[in-house]
Amino acid sequence: MLLVAEIREPVRSFTNRAGVVSIRENGLEICSRDRFVKAPKFVELPPGLHDMEFLVIRLRASRTSSFRRAVELRAGDVLVALCDPVQPNTFYRKSRPADSWFVGILSPVVEVSDSFKTRRPPPPTVAP
């Protein structure tokens, strides 16, 4: 699983509204990102069914948001979770009114036969 959080809150900010982006499985946190640790996080998950909870946690509980999703992973699949949480003190770019998430699965490339590889695709068509 790869978690990427677009956190634009500065480390030296004194707000208590900054969020922590977190992913839990069966109630246990498996990874999180906050304004102090912003780099993408990769966590290895075994194949199978996973009951995931995607959260943005804030000091004020009324602003915390979350949703659950059951995810079926096969061998080699990568679950990608991108989060753009509400940024409380952003001056250079207006923040969205709610936390936004993109969650998807990247599957490994399926090997194709050599005869298919040598064929060239038709040129793209352009509408007039």
Side-chain angles (χ1 to χ4, degrees), residues 31-118:
C31 66
S32 68
R33 302 284 86 180
D34 60 23
R35 66 183 180 175
F36 302 106
V37 183
K38 298 179 184 184
K41 175 72 175 180
F42 183 79
V43 176
E44 193 163 337
L45 292 176
L49 186 64
H50 298 272
D51 180 23
M52 311 293 282
E53 183 178 14
F54 302 86
L55 306 114
V56 178
I57 303 164
R58 294 186 178 82
L59 188 59
R60 296 182 348 187
S62 63
R63 298 291 297 156
T64 296
S65 66
S66 70
F67 68 94
R68 295 181 81 100
R69 181 171 292 166
V71 178
E72 177 76 28
L73 294 176
R74 297 177 302 202
D77 284 353
V78 176
L79 174 67
V80 177
L82 306 172
C83 181
D84 186 6
V86 172
Q87 311 292 322
N89 294 332
T90 308
F91 300 107
Y92 53 88
R93 184 173 118 186
K94 185 173 170 78
S95 183
R96 296 175 186 218
D99 303 321
S100 65
W101 285 87
F102 168 79
V103 178
I105 296 175
L106 295 176
S107 295
V109 177
V110 178
E111 191 62 33
V112 295
S113 68
D114 288 333
S115 62
F116 180 76
K117 288 181 188 176
T118 57

